[in-house]
């Protein structure tokens, strides 16, 4: 079973800073997901990627298949970005559903 | 399109009781997955249904079960509740193998 490790567990930064959250996994995957969870529990899917890089607004996700590593970057961070960011791997066949990392608790201070 | 809806949003039960949670997927999505989130274990996969058939199952005891109806709505049932079943239960729907869309969750408290 794949192991998904995230770092850091907690991150506090000032508004405007460039943020990087890392995710590594132990075996090959076909899709890596980045999710955002705000207080109250709702989860939003930010990215699903299997290679290269994706960008949406101030968010950028990259994946290196050879190194089994993915990063989520937030440019010009804002207090509304404060949330828990979770990476998850899900094989295309979905044999075990998604396997989740423990999450990174991000706080952006004004 | 309306998003994924879950009912009820909050639920309090006592040990030994059983509970049924409901999930309505986004219109047109035939796959529904269920997840459990606890402070200790984080998010864990329960099961996935596709076209009324359970396609995958996570590592949970048989007390956890589910089903999917012809309109893709899904229910999950937990029998003989234990204190450790207190959690946020999330469902997510998707179209094919695309990204998943999560519902707001049902927060279950077992006393």
């Amino acid at each position: 079973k794949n192991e998904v490790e995230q770092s850091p567990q907690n991150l506090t930064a000032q508004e405007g800073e460039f943020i990087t959250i890392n995710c590594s996994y132990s075996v090959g995957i076909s899709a890596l997901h980045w999710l955002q969870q705000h207080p109250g529990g709702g989860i939003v899917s930010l990215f699903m990627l299997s290679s290269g890089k994706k960008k949406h607004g101030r968010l950028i996700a990259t994946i290196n298949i050879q190194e089994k590593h993915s990063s989520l970057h937030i440019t010009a961070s804002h207090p509304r970005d404060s949330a828990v960011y979770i990476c998850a791997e899900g094989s295309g066949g979905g044999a075990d559903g998604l396997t989740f990392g423990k999450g990174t608790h991000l706080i952006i201070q004004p | 399109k309306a998003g994924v809806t879950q009912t009820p949003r909050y639920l309090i039960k006592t040990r030994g009781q059983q509970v049924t949670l409901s999930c309505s997927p986004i219109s047109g999505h035939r796959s529904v997955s269920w997840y459990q989130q606890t402070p200790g274990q984080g998010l864990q996969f329960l099961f996935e249904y596709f076209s009324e058939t359970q396609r995958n199952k996570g590592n949970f005891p048989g007390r956890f079960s589910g089903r999917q109806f012809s309109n893709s709505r899904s229910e999950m049932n937990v029998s003989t509740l234990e204190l450790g079943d207190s959690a946020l239960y999330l469902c997510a729907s998707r179209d094919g193998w695309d990204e998943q869309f999560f519902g707001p969750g049902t927060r279950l408290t077992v006393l």
Side-chain angles (χ1 to χ4, degrees), chain A residues 33 35 37 40-48 86 91-102, chain B residues 9 35 37 40-45 48 55-57 88 90 94 97-104 107:
Chain A
H33 303 252
L35 311 170
Q37 185 172 33
I43 291 179
V44 173
S45 176
L46 299 174
F47 296 103
M48 175 177 154
I86 303 167
S91 61
D96 295 310
L98 292 179
T99 301
F100 299 88
K102 296 289 187 192
Chain B
R9 293 293 311 278
Y35 301 92
Q37 186 177 36
Q41 297 298 318
L43 275 160
Q44 297 183 91
F45 169 72
E48 180 187 17
R55 183 154 68 176
N56 302 300
K57 189 176 192 305
L88 180 67
L90 293 149
R94 61 177 169 169
W97 299 112
D98 286 347
E99 66 178 309
Q100 301 200 18
F101 293 85
F102 287 81
R107 191 165 295 279

Side-chain angles (χ1 to χ4, degrees), chain A residues 7-79:
Chain A
S7 63
Q9 272 190 287
N10 298 283
L11 179 58
T12 300
Q14 296 297 122
E15 183 174 357
E17 286 189 40
F18 182 82
I19 303 298
T20 296
I21 299 170
N22 297 299
C23 176
S24 61
Y25 49 92
S26 57
V27 299
I29 62 168
S30 60
L32 192 288
H33 303 252
W34 281 102
L35 311 170
Q36 180 192 58
Q37 185 172 33
H38 280 284
I43 291 179
V44 173
S45 176
L46 299 174
F47 296 103
M48 175 177 154
L49 68 166
S50 54
S51 65
K53 177 178 171 178
K54 286 191 175 181
K55 185 176 188 292
H56 185 252
R58 295 179 294 105
L59 301 177
I60 303 166
T62 63
I63 189 167
N64 185 316
I65 299 296
Q66 287 73 30
E67 295 185 5
K68 298 186 177 62
H69 180 269
S70 176
S71 293
L72 176 69
H73 305 286
I74 305 175
T75 62
S77 59
H78 189 275

Side-chain angles (χ1 to χ4, degrees), chain B residues 4-7 21-25 32 34 72-75 91-92:
Chain B
V4 178
T5 58
Q6 290 187 246
T7 56
L21 312 181
S22 180
C23 173
S24 293
V32 174
W34 287 91
S72 292
R73 189 177 71 84
S74 178
E75 289 181 347
C91 79

